[in-house]
Amino acid sequence: MTRIDFYILPDTTLEARLGFACRLAETIHGKGYRLHLHAEDEAMAHDLDERLWTFRPDAYLPHALLGSDLADSVAVTIGHAGPPEPDRGIQALLNLAPDIPEWFSRFERVAEIINQHQQVLTAKRACWQTYKQRGYPVQAHQLRSQSD
């Protein structure tokens, strides 16, 4: 059964949420998982693509946008419209969209990032309740501010 992890940030900005998403993607990839980042829309997908190149000067996270020539050859993909191909062997999903994608259960792990922005809080509370009602194991990770 898919394991769901919610990472709860004290920050309110999209900047903090996407910055944490890059660090979490690096951690997930470092643990040997193939990962898909599911963005809210095309603009966020492109933003994530750019951030993954620049979020840390010494970091290298091989990634590509779904549909690009490189998408089949990297361990981390980014998309917004639909799922990656099932035969790609992707084990983890980092969901940055407000809703739960219908295809989330094909992954071993799903990560959700909550920050203290009201729209994100409302959307992700609904996601939490949906996962719990469906019987999925859900765990919360309360994080400290990055400035601490």
Side-chain angles (χ1 to χ4, degrees), residues 8-141:
I8 305 166
L9 304 176
D11 307 288
T12 60
T13 66
L14 179 62
E15 181 77 24
R17 189 167 181 244
L18 295 182
F20 180 74
C22 291
R23 293 189 303 279
L24 183 58
E26 181 182 41
T27 299
I28 293 168
H29 175 260
K31 290 182 177 183
Y33 286 92
R34 293 179 67 85
L35 171 67
H36 179 70
L37 285 83
H38 182 62
E40 181 173 353
D41 54 27
E42 185 176 6
M44 181 186 277
H46 285 283
D47 189 4
L48 283 165
D49 180 41
E50 187 62 35
R51 285 173 187 269
L52 286 172
W53 289 115
T54 61
F55 77 98
R56 232 184 55 224
D58 62 337
Y60 173 68
L61 189 61
H63 67 280
L65 291 166
L66 277 185
S68 73
D69 293 339
L70 295 174
D72 289 336
S73 64
V74 295
V76 178
T77 57
I78 305 165
H80 66 91
E85 294 297 321
D87 61 353
R88 294 228 35 251
I90 297 175
Q91 303 123 317
L93 171 68
L94 176 46
N95 183 33
L96 292 160
D99 299 321
I100 301 169
E102 292 177 15
W103 34 269
F104 80 93
S105 63
R106 75 164 63 163
F107 302 97
E108 294 172 26
R109 307 277 303 259
V110 172
E112 299 270 4
I113 300 173
I114 301 174
N115 67 351
Q116 303 307 305
H117 187 279
Q118 192 57 50
Q119 286 178 309
V120 174
L121 283 169
T122 300
K124 293 304 170 182
R125 281 184 187 131
C127 291
W128 175 287
Q129 291 171 347
T130 299
Y131 289 128
K132 292 294 280 183
Q133 288 169 352
R134 293 183 182 177
Y136 287 91
V138 178
Q139 184 165 359
H141 306 276

